[in-house]
Amino acid sequence: MIDFTFSEEQELLRRSAREFFESELRPLSESIDREAKFPADIIRKMGQMGYMGVPVPERYGGAGLGKVGYCLLMEELGRVDASVTTILAAHCSLGSIPLLYFGSEEQKERYLVPAARGRTIHSFNLSEPEAGSDAASIRTTAVRDGSDFILNGTKLWATNGKEADVFIVFAVTDRKQGARGISAFIVERGYDGLRFGSEEDKMGIRGSSTLQIYYDGVRVPRENLLGEQGKGFSIAMTTLDVGRLSLAAGSLGASRRAIELALQHARNRVQFGRPIAEHQAIQFKLADMGMKTEALRYFLYNVASRADRMGNQPATWTENDRRSLTRHAAMLKVLASETASFCVDESLQIHGGTGFTRRTEIERMYRDARISEIYEGTNEIQRMVIGRNIARYGLE
């Protein structure tokens, strides 16, 4: 177990983030959802506040507050707006962490520093029309041509795709090697042959852009190979493990907000002569929501603290570190997403018919929460990962 006394710097981050998101973002959340509009001004301000690089060390332009600090930020953001939570997670967890963990010093200076300072936006391109949960089956190819690589293929579900300046792209460099024949590349927006499809009209997280990206003979210089050739699948899986911590933090924030809204309504709604918060049926719902949310909170910050102790160089991790991170990240992803869905659903039930109308915040949260059980690895896949891990190694 860990001591859940956060540092003064971490608490300052939490307070400043809550004040910023409540004052600057919450008034815009309803219109962001209704208009399906990428909140460029908010993202720019978040960059100015240093939020785009919270887990990145100061030497690379970040705040140096680690995974725990990042989760505190994402928890506060998850209380307010799921779209912006998704944008930041895709940029920081998925688009920047691979550079921090696997990039050369030159790549970090060129791409990670501006990302951490909020000067650029990043996107993570792994999924394809025929390769979602089965990520090892991607078909995008990277063929050597002199000192360069030529990329051809289609990527699906590219979050931040419309706005991104830099793309972390996974492609096959040796088909015969299966997953060990996949490599990772850094692609800049201005490269010839890079084309963008139309945005998906999503049920929730409508303020984040999601689209297909086409790589049609995109020439990528050799120095933009991220990590070693053939290590791309491992890079992707490690990145997703770390990214699931931020997803869990955002879901924790959503769970807390769902309880806040349920409590507000239950205290004010009078039926049978007294506020419904005094009825046992409602109190039981609040009890279940509270227990699940508190359990998630302790688990999340325990795992985030361990991830910080492991450091930012996967090459130095022990085999037990890797196994534990994979197992706990998968557990967190399932627990967090299902806790958020449960709390939002129960909160909507407490709101009654009012909660089913478009004018309520809980209705938007209901639509937003559903994706958390799907993206960054479906909960079915996570249960497979967890089950196989436990069957082989136990709970250690």
Side-chain angles (χ1 to χ4, degrees):
M1 296 298 293
I2 67 169
D3 179 2
F4 284 101
T5 302
F6 299 111
S7 70
E8 183 177 346
E9 194 174 14
Q10 290 167 340
E11 288 291 358
L12 178 61
L13 170 66
R14 182 198 285 279
R15 290 194 299 271
S16 70
R18 177 173 294 190
E19 181 179 348
F20 176 82
F21 294 139
E22 287 289 348
S23 63
E24 298 285 338
L25 178 56
R26 188 174 295 285
L28 304 176
S29 289
E30 192 275 333
S31 63
I32 288 171
D33 173 74
R34 183 182 65 252
E35 299 171 14
K37 180 181 178 181
F38 184 87
D41 288 344
I42 286 293
I43 300 302
R44 177 179 53 79
K45 291 179 181 179
M46 286 171 61
Q48 295 170 349
M49 295 289 289
Y51 296 157
M52 304 295 277
V54 165
V56 177
E58 293 182 34
R59 63 178 294 194
Y60 298 122
L65 293 177
K67 311 300 185 302
V68 171
Y70 182 40
C71 285
L72 286 170
L73 174 71
M74 295 298 281
E75 181 185 346
E76 293 302 323
L77 182 52
R79 285 183 64 252
V80 178
D81 191 284
S83 291
V84 180
T85 303
T86 300
I87 292 167
L88 182 57
H91 166 80
C92 195
S93 302
L94 303 183
S96 298
I97 290 298
L99 291 164
L100 175 62
Y101 278 15
F102 302 100
S104 66
E105 287 301 313
E106 292 78 11
Q107 290 171 340
K108 290 174 184 177
E109 187 64 31
R110 181 168 181 176
Y111 297 109
L112 181 58
V113 171
R117 292 176 176 168
R119 296 173 183 170
T120 57
I121 295 176
H122 287 199
S123 179
F124 182 84
N125 293 184
L126 176 63
S127 296
E128 297 181 2
E130 302 302 325
S133 294
D134 184 10
S137 295
I138 63 173
R139 298 181 180 180
T140 296
T141 59
V143 177
R144 197 68 178 265
D145 182 37
S147 61
D148 300 335
F149 288 89
I150 306 298
L151 269 60
N152 283 284
T154 300
K155 293 299 181 179
L156 192 64
W157 311 125
T159 302
N160 296 346
K162 184 178 179 181
E163 296 79 18
D165 304 287
V166 175
F167 305 84
I168 306 299
V169 185
F170 297 87
V172 177
T173 46
D174 187 347
R175 183 73 64 188
K176 295 179 182 179
Q177 295 296 316
R180 295 179 180 176
I182 295 173
S183 301
F185 299 89
I186 305 166
V187 176
E188 297 181 23
R189 187 177 190 86
Y191 287 178
D192 290 339
L194 190 61
R195 297 186 295 109
F196 303 92
S198 58
E199 288 192 60
E200 300 288 350
D201 187 9
K202 304 187 298 294
M203 177 175 75
I205 57 168
R206 291 172 53 78
S208 65
S209 66
T210 308
L211 43 76
Q212 287 193 9
I213 299 180
Y214 306 99
Y215 293 87
D216 186 9
V218 176
R219 181 174 293 274
V220 180
R222 173 69 176 78
E223 57 267 27
N224 278 32
L225 174 68
L226 179 61
E228 298 179 31
Q229 186 170 331
K231 299 293 186 180
F233 188 76
S234 176
I235 290 172
M237 294 303 104
T238 300
T239 299
L240 287 166
D241 281 345
V242 175
R244 287 174 186 128
L245 303 187
S246 67
L247 186 154
S251 293
L252 173 60
S255 300
R256 287 178 46 216
R257 181 59 178 170
I259 295 172
E260 292 170 6
L261 292 172
L263 195 54
Q264 286 177 15
H265 183 81
R267 285 171 172 168
N268 293 320
R269 175 65 168 167
V270 175
Q271 290 289 276
F272 304 102
R274 55 179 174 163
I276 63 173
E278 297 180 12
H279 293 286
Q280 190 180 67
I282 302 301
Q283 291 177 357
F284 279 6
K285 289 182 181 297
L286 293 171
D288 288 339
M289 294 160 72
M291 287 187 292
K292 291 175 184 290
T293 298
E294 282 297 288
L296 170 59
R297 178 177 180 271
Y298 276 81
F299 187 22
L300 168 64
Y301 287 106
N302 194 340
V303 177
S305 178
R306 179 168 183 172
D308 277 339
R309 293 195 299 272
M310 287 167 57
N312 296 324
Q313 297 182 8
T316 67
W317 295 352
T318 66
E319 189 59 33
N320 187 59
D321 284 337
R322 295 176 185 277
R323 289 199 303 264
S324 295
L325 178 61
T326 295
R327 179 176 68 250
H328 289 149
M331 287 178 169
L332 266 175
K333 201 275 183 179
V334 174
L335 177 64
S337 60
E338 294 182 2
T339 295
S341 292
F342 173 82
C343 290
V344 170
D345 184 73
E346 288 288 74
S347 184
L348 192 150
Q349 187 71 18
I350 290 171
H351 280 75
T354 301
F356 200 68
T357 62
R358 288 279 188 178
R359 69 177 183 269
T360 59
E361 181 180 348
I362 197 65
E363 182 273 339
R364 182 178 74 248
M365 292 183 66
Y366 189 85
R367 288 184 287 106
D368 286 340
R370 189 61 184 86
I371 189 60
S372 62
E373 297 181 52
I374 299 172
Y375 65 4
E376 289 197 36
T378 65
N379 285 12
E380 289 77 11
I381 291 295
Q382 301 314 305
R383 283 185 163 90
M384 289 172 59
V385 170
I386 297 164
R388 288 172 180 171
N389 191 297
I390 292 176
R392 185 170 182 180
Y393 303 109
L395 286 177
E396 299 178 310

